[in-house]
Amino acid sequence: MTMPTDAAPRDASGDALLICRLLAADPHGLGGVALASGSGPGRDAFLSCYKKLASASAPLITVPAHVSPDRLEGGLDIAATLAQGKPISSRGLIASADQGAMLLLSAERMSLDKAARIASAMDHAQTSRFGVIACDESREDDEALPKILSERMAFRINPDAGIKALHSDAVIPVDLARKAQELSILKAVEQALAETVLMLGIASPRALIFAFRVARLHAALTKQTTVTEADATIAAQLVFAHRATQMPIEEQSSEEEAKSQNQDSDSNTSNYTEAQSGALADRVLDAVRTHLPEGLLAKLDASAFSRQGRSGQGAKAAKAGKTRGRPLGARRGDPRSGARLDLVETLRVAAPWQRLRRQTQPKRTGVIVHKDDFRVRRFKEHRETTAIFVVDASGSSAIKRLAEAKGAVELILADCYVRRDRVAVIAFRSKSAEILLHPTRSLQRAKRSLAELPGGGGTPLTAAIETTLALADQVKRTGGVPLAVFLTDGRANITRDGTPDKAKALSETESAAKALRASGIKSLVIDLSDRPEGAAKTLAAALDALYLPLPHAEANAISNHVGAAMKSAGRSS
Amino acid sequence: MSSRFPFSAIAGQDEMKRALLLTAVDPMIGGLLAFGDRGTGKSTAVRALAALLPAMKAIDGCPYHCDPATPQAQCDACREKTKPKTKSMPIPVVDLPLGATEDRVVGALDLERALASGEKAFEPGLLASANRGYLYVDEVNLLEDHIVDLLLDVAASGENVVEREGLSIRHPARFVLVGSGNPEEGELRPQLLDRFGLSVDVRTPTDVATWVEIARRRLAYEADPDAYAAQWESHESELQRKLVAARKKVESVTLSDEIMERAAALCLALQTDGLRGQLTLMRAARALAAFEGRKQVTLEDVKRMAGPALRHRLRRNPLDETGSQTRIDRALAELFG
């Protein structure tokens, strides 16, 4: 297997400029770029470079994350309508961005519904053809650009690396996008790009379409008449690297795989040999490897759930947007009581009465609004409850009852599923506790994580409680209500630092339990031991938790208790 | 407006395409749920299908585009007209965007007219526009609960009842509900699942050739949509002919008692929730027979449609690792040999 030769690793400094040039040439076709950096010189340089490069007629419309949905799509301009006494409609931001691009500020904070509107406008391109430059300032894992948007953008880059290059005087030839469309791509190159996509575990065919477009644009930019390997390599680096979800299988096996894939597709490709395309795909792949984001490898190896984890991220962000209170519509109310006035709704209610009211008060000008017309915004009041199951999978007596515990969890899951609550699973055994399942509504993932639960080893209860506390805090931050459900016999025998010492472990557990109680998290202890009323009861007391000994509680009863606890948790907050 | 991406040019995704075609053959099948990866052409397929269907006749000026031929399904205004003017229009495909407000979906007071002339008028919402066509909900599993409830009611009754802001309006809203989403990001409530007639799993293709073909066709289409559509014209008109013929024939396709009984036995064995599963299975099998030009439903039709018609109606056991399709396959093997 040869090392990359002609596909020498290019550094990221040139990429920013290249992306800027490509995007300015065809913002709609490429969808856009996510600028992964805080506000700073890099982003400024990118934007000013983009403005310089984009044709004078191409608008760049700034859209803040808190934009109102009607501003996006346009519609009746209430202020102007009231002032002039006749309907004035305003042009939405989407329509204004036609033939240009939209600049989304703090795009990671944009709520899913607005992201969905923009995405759908990009797809249909009926009213407006535009691309998106999304400023993504997300730092922590629980924030991310809405997947629905990032999926539709070809690029993602940190512009800080390319500041110097961005200050260049580069120009783009006129009509580049049209010229690019006329270029043909060598079959072997197409094939190599497709193989690369598959090897990197990218699920969306959009990635490949973007890569084709980028390759063509790059060829046109460098004034070639066909799209060659060099163009494809660059396209793959720019489009695929940040989308990769798996490391390509190393060396030999990847060659074999490429070959077997070639054989599959032999029937409809004829004018190149297997070996050619296979080698080409390898070279492209090697080039992408140099561009993979740092830490990707570690992230992917870290857990067997890596793929699910990634696809879950979008959902997590989506749900965060939801729990922070999406308006449920408006209802009659007094705006002085602290609720937010819904102006549009109020006017909507007042409007039909205007003619009548004018007759009684002929001298008044403007809209006559009565107190009864006031409508206030209503937000989702039921906050999502997240049940965190903390399952003791240690080798002590708990293991015997693990199956029963799983039965109880199963019932609770089915209930959560109907009530649209979320569940998380933490398992502890041997020396540490591990979050098996981050809060999710997906039954599939919960199912899988429980089925894969291993057993045996010590009982690190302290670690379990501390992990629970951290997760519960995270749930609270995103606007949910955590409820901890411990399934254990309470016989802690592993200390915080992982050494077996029963007495110390028990005292540590007690203080950890008190910390959990102090943070106001409701909990339940389901005693798994054969002879209840022992350590688990002490734990329940320390947690101020509802105590349910399993021998007396059937799975159904447990499910009912948890259900009731979740309901009250959702109400009380 | 430029031509739509041709239906026959969608590479791969045969199961989804067939299921979509069957919902067009017999709209009573009741919609399609496509669960799977992003970017696999779900939305494109729905739009392409609508473009493929022959234009429909509608009463001119009616916001719900009522059918002049079926007075029982018309809105009140149309029923009063004695000789309504008709027009021909393409089958509507309406997108229900995530986060759409209730107003947008159900319809609301027409603010423009209210402000300008003080008139209390109804501004029809998305449900009105979707009447007699397709309502496409992307990421249906992430849809707000109150919108989901709303859809459930309307999809069940075929009628949208608006009682708000002093408006009291009811109008027909019969549409084929097409939903898509990724189950890893959240599941659908069983009540909504049951409302979808068929369900398919849309998976990203795994062979290089299909991937290349998808991208190649997309680019060719973009370069010149009209020319590309013309290139596929013969495929499209062939498919349209087949579809129209199947629609005419579907009611006359016969279903023997034996087949009905065996389908019922299958549903019993699988313990599907409710009768809807069995009904849908029968309809889908009949539509498939009609689409493929048979006069009788065969056991093979039932077998082929068992997956899409029943997969999403099986009772779930969170701890059971077996996928729905595997369970159906097992039951099929046991019962039908």
Side-chain angles (χ1 to χ4, degrees):
Chain A
M1 178 75 218
T2 52
M3 282 307 289
T5 46
D6 33 348
R10 294 165 320 113
D11 55 5
S13 64
D15 284 355
L17 177 64
L18 183 57
I19 286 177
C20 199
R21 294 175 77 190
L22 295 169
L23 195 63
D26 187 5
H28 176 68
L30 299 179
V33 59
L35 298 181
S37 74
S39 107
R43 194 207 275 176
D44 295 345
F46 187 93
L47 291 177
S48 66
C49 180
Y50 178 83
K51 282 181 204 153
K52 221 164 40 190
L53 286 172
S55 73
S57 61
L60 180 65
I61 306 288
T62 306
V63 179
H66 54 79
V67 62
S68 74
D70 22 320
R71 260 314 275 146
L72 271 181
E73 290 184 343
L76 198 67
D77 183 338
I78 297 287
T81 303
L82 288 180
Q84 301 201 16
K86 61 177 184 190
I88 308 283
S89 51
S90 69
R91 201 159 169 241
L93 296 174
I94 287 176
S96 313
D98 192 18
Q99 306 303 328
M102 218 180 231
L103 174 63
L104 304 183
L105 301 176
S106 307
E108 79 282 358
R109 306 207 72 92
M110 176 166 270
S111 69
L112 193 63
D113 57 325
K114 283 174 272 190
R117 272 167 218 236
I118 295 177
S120 132
M122 285 166 83
D123 276 3
H124 303 322
Q126 276 164 342
T127 44
S128 172
R129 297 166 62 85
F130 63 96
V132 164
I133 299 178
C135 302
D136 182 359
E137 294 178 32
S138 56
R139 295 225 175 113
E140 286 163 45
D141 277 350
D142 52 350
E143 271 182 338
L145 207 57
K147 201 108 200 177
I148 194 168
L149 275 183
S150 56
E151 152 84 13
R152 286 171 172 78
M153 301 189 289
F155 310 115
R156 176 179 184 88
I157 196 173
N158 181 345
D160 291 344
I163 297 180
K164 227 168 134 194
L166 283 168
H167 286 300
S168 81
D169 296 320
V171 286
I172 43 170
V174 276
D175 237 7
L176 188 69
R178 201 188 45 74
K179 277 182 207 146
Q181 259 190 358
E182 286 158 8
L183 296 182
S184 61
I185 307 177
L186 286 177
K187 277 201 173 155
V189 171
E190 285 182 336
Q191 188 93 3
L193 279 172
E195 280 170 22
T196 312
V197 156
L198 282 172
M199 282 189 249
L200 291 168
I202 297 170
S204 170
R206 281 201 184 96
L208 187 61
I209 298 175
F210 281 139
F212 279 20
R213 287 192 191 130
V214 171
R216 282 197 321 200
L217 275 171
H218 187 264
L221 196 64
T222 46
K223 302 213 170 57
Q224 301 164 61
T225 48
T226 45
V227 181
T228 60
E229 181 186 338
D231 305 312
T233 308
I234 288 168
Q237 283 173 336
L238 296 183
V239 179
F240 297 159
H242 61 94
R243 285 183 154 84
T245 65
Q246 70 184 41
M247 283 303 282
I249 309 147
E250 278 298 329
E251 313 297 277
Q252 201 146 24
S253 56
S254 83
E255 204 167 30
E256 271 163 25
E257 196 183 312
K259 261 191 197 150
S260 71
Q261 270 159 356
N262 267 339
Q263 276 153 6
D264 292 346
S265 51
D266 247 5
S267 48
N268 47 5
T269 48
S270 50
N271 56 352
Y272 64 93
T273 64
E274 258 174 51
Q276 258 181 354
S277 150
L280 182 51
D282 281 342
R283 284 201 296 274
V284 173
L285 198 57
D286 281 329
V288 174
R289 248 191 217 126
T290 64
H291 266 59
L292 287 177
E294 272 174 52
L296 176 71
L297 189 60
K299 236 195 280 172
L300 295 180
D301 285 348
S303 81
F305 283 98
S306 56
R307 286 201 69 174
Q308 285 83 29
R310 272 183 73 91
S311 62
Q313 263 179 25
K316 229 191 289 168
K319 277 168 199 153
K322 189 146 93 184
T323 41
R324 280 189 197 124
R326 175 164 305 161
L328 263 184
R331 74 150 55 119
R332 181 174 299 186
D334 189 347
R336 282 167 302 182
S337 65
R340 223 166 106 204
L341 178 71
D342 190 331
L343 183 66
V344 177
E345 279 304 321
T346 304
L347 288 174
R348 203 171 260 167
V349 174
W353 301 101
Q354 292 307 306
R355 193 177 282 177
L356 261 175
R357 287 177 188 169
R358 183 102 38 222
Q359 284 166 8
T360 55
Q361 297 169 281
K363 283 196 189 128
R364 257 190 74 167
T365 56
V367 182
I368 307 171
V369 178
H370 288 185
K371 202 179 147 221
D372 282 351
D373 300 335
F374 280 126
R375 291 292 182 273
V376 292
R377 280 180 207 267
R378 209 151 48 100
F379 290 92
K380 196 166 185 166
E381 277 160 3
H382 168 79
R383 295 169 69 192
E384 265 182 336
T385 310
T386 302
I388 305 170
F389 289 99
V390 192
V391 184
D392 185 347
S394 68
S396 54
S397 61
I399 190 115
K400 282 182 245 155
R401 315 210 62 115
L402 197 56
E404 279 171 69
K406 280 184 181 178
V409 174
E410 165 191 346
L411 280 168
I412 298 164
L413 272 177
D415 193 38
C416 291
Y417 174 50
V418 173
R419 292 167 22 81
R420 314 275 292 161
D421 285 317
R422 301 198 293 175
V423 292
V425 178
I426 294 174
F428 61 104
R429 59 182 284 261
S430 168
K431 282 181 181 167
S432 61
E434 186 192 355
I435 301 178
L436 276 188
L437 181 68
H438 281 274
T440 178
R441 240 186 229 159
S442 166
L443 204 62
Q444 282 190 3
R445 292 174 59 202
K447 191 160 80 179
R448 218 179 301 143
S449 78
L450 270 175
E452 285 166 8
L453 189 64
T459 312
L461 196 50
T462 315
I465 296 176
E466 278 165 1
T467 311
T468 309
L469 185 56
L471 187 62
D473 274 342
Q474 195 192 323
V475 169
K476 275 202 215 157
R477 267 210 312 275
T478 53
V481 182
L483 170 74
V485 183
F486 290 89
L487 297 113
T488 176
D489 57 5
R491 293 188 195 124
N493 56 16
I494 304 286
T495 60
R496 190 179 278 126
D497 49 18
T499 49
D501 178 345
K502 209 166 171 188
K504 196 175 166 210
L506 278 174
S507 74
E508 275 182 9
T509 299
E510 194 176 341
S511 58
K514 281 182 179 152
L516 190 67
R517 180 173 76 182
S519 67
I521 291 156
K522 284 198 175 183
S523 44
L524 243 100
V525 174
I526 298 171
D527 191 347
L528 296 183
S529 59
D530 285 331
R531 250 170 295 148
E533 311 276 317
K537 188 148 195 190
T538 324
L539 174 70
L543 285 168
D544 192 19
L546 188 63
Y547 172 74
L548 299 166
L550 191 58
H552 308 298
E554 297 165 60
N556 261 322
I558 291 180
S559 163
N560 289 343
H561 278 292
V562 175
M566 287 180 83
K567 260 176 224 159
S568 70
R571 245 199 325 272
S572 64
S573 42
Chain B
M1 206 172 74
S2 55
S3 308
R4 289 232 183 267
F5 193 82
F7 190 80
S8 14
I10 295 168
Q13 310 301 2
D14 294 327
E15 197 190 7
M16 174 182 68
K17 284 195 289 182
R18 194 178 57 210
L20 265 178
L21 285 169
L22 295 187
T23 62
V25 171
D26 182 2
M28 292 291 281
I29 287 175
L32 172 71
L33 180 66
F35 255 169
D37 298 315
R38 288 174 207 276
T40 40
K42 290 166 292 206
S43 161
T44 314
V46 178
R47 267 152 230 291
L49 176 72
L52 180 70
L53 296 172
M56 63 180 195
K57 272 215 157 30
I59 291 174
D60 200 16
C62 174
Y64 322 111
H65 16 82
C66 288
D67 185 359
T70 52
Q72 67 275 13
Q74 287 176 0
C75 67
D76 296 344
C78 289
R79 226 173 289 166
E80 279 165 23
K81 289 179 196 156
T82 43
K83 269 234 162 114
K85 265 212 302 203
T86 62
K87 62 170 181 188
S88 141
M89 61 175 289
I91 305 279
V93 179
V94 174
D95 262 293
L96 196 151
L98 219 54
T101 60
E102 233 171 285
D103 282 5
R104 266 292 289 289
V105 178
V106 207
L109 189 73
D110 188 336
L111 198 55
E112 233 162 279
R113 274 166 75 185
L115 284 177
S117 52
E119 231 177 296
K120 193 166 92 178
F122 177 63
E123 187 182 11
L126 297 175
L127 292 175
S129 325
N131 189 27
R132 303 181 62 204
Y134 284 81
L135 187 67
Y136 177 69
V137 193
D138 198 8
E139 315 260 4
V140 63
N141 48 338
L142 301 181
L143 206 61
E144 285 289 318
D145 279 354
H146 65 279
I147 303 279
V148 172
D149 294 338
L150 225 149
L151 282 182
L152 288 178
D153 293 344
V154 178
S157 64
E159 188 178 48
N160 179 25
V161 183
V162 188
E163 292 289 353
R164 50 195 301 177
E165 287 149 349
L167 292 165
S168 178
I169 298 228
R170 53 179 56 213
H171 69 78
R174 281 169 214 283
F175 46 82
V176 176
L177 193 60
V178 180
S180 74
N182 187 344
E184 297 261 318
E185 296 179 355
E187 308 233 356
L188 271 182
R189 280 192 292 166
Q191 295 93 317
L192 186 57
L193 271 179
D194 190 48
R195 289 290 196 276
F196 288 98
L198 305 177
S199 81
V200 288
D201 281 333
V202 188
R203 291 275 158 247
T204 305
T206 48
D207 63 306
V208 178
T210 313
W211 274 82
V212 172
E213 204 51 40
I214 291 172
R216 204 183 270 162
R217 287 182 184 180
R218 185 80 218 172
L219 294 189
Y221 165 73
E222 273 162 21
D224 188 347
D226 292 330
Y228 192 70
Q231 204 183 315
W232 284 85
E233 182 53 40
S234 63
H235 286 93
E236 292 283 284
S237 53
E238 165 66 18
L239 197 58
Q240 191 190 54
R241 196 192 51 72
K242 229 174 136 185
L243 200 59
V244 171
R247 273 180 160 190
K248 280 205 190 106
K249 264 201 329 222
V250 66
E251 295 292 334
S252 60
V253 172
T254 55
L255 249 168
S256 70
D257 288 349
E258 193 220 331
I259 297 230
M260 290 240 231
E261 270 162 30
R262 299 190 75 167
L266 177 68
C267 293
L268 266 177
L270 287 167
Q271 297 181 317
T272 53
D273 287 342
L275 277 175
R276 209 190 296 264
Q278 194 187 337
L279 264 172
T280 310
L281 176 58
M282 302 293 29
R283 279 189 202 284
R286 201 176 62 168
L288 181 64
F291 185 66
E292 294 183 351
R294 281 185 295 278
K295 294 207 167 71
Q296 252 184 338
V297 177
T298 62
L299 204 56
E300 192 55 31
D301 293 327
V302 176
K303 271 175 152 174
R304 277 165 68 193
M305 294 319 294
L310 302 177
R311 200 180 286 145
H312 54 299
R313 299 177 207 271
L314 303 190
R315 235 168 241 199
R316 314 262 213 119
N317 176 348
L319 294 186
D320 190 354
E321 274 299 292
T322 338
S324 306
Q325 185 59 47
T326 328
R327 281 161 70 191
I328 291 175
D329 287 343
R330 210 183 288 150
L332 278 174
E334 268 170 32
L335 290 168
F336 295 179

